[in-house]
Amino acid sequence: MRDIQTIGGFSIREARPGERHALLALVARIDAESDFLLREPGERPFWARDLAAFQASGNSTIFVAEAAGNRPADLVGYLSAMAGGSAATAVR
């Protein structure tokens, strides 16, 4: 896990595997607020089945943002990053 960084009143850190349900709830909330996403409404993200395995791949992770000082912490944003997996990004 990467260390927590506080930026502009938000704590940014790597997601924990035990937060999968909270993260999926955040994704659903964001999906309901925007029409500009790469997924169809209700489509689950590629890491939804097993967040721990996704992160254990060594080249993929998810960072979450939470309002600094909130206890219990509420997730307010996320960024997922995945390397490889498509022919377009393959090194030849």
Side-chain angles (χ1 to χ4, degrees):
M1 291 287 143
R2 289 171 178 80
D3 292 338
I4 295 173
Q5 299 292 319
T6 301
I7 303 168
F10 296 94
S11 295
I12 311 292
R13 60 174 173 76
E14 196 168 13
R16 298 178 188 111
E19 294 177 307
R20 186 175 78 83
H21 293 290
L23 195 49
L24 288 172
L26 172 64
V27 168
R29 198 168 73 227
I30 291 171
D31 286 354
E33 296 174 2
S34 179
D35 293 329
F36 303 101
L37 300 172
L38 296 176
R39 294 182 313 278
E40 295 293 321
E43 182 182 355
R44 293 169 61 117
F46 48 87
W47 48 262
R49 294 183 108 171
D50 193 345
L51 178 57
F54 173 74
Q55 290 177 311
S57 70
N59 63 358
S60 304
T61 195
I62 298 173
F63 290 95
V64 295
E66 56 192 13
N70 276 5
R71 294 293 171 249
D74 289 325
L75 300 181
V76 296
Y78 76 98
L79 172 120
S80 59
M82 181 177 84
S86 70
T89 62
V91 176
R92 300 175 204 265

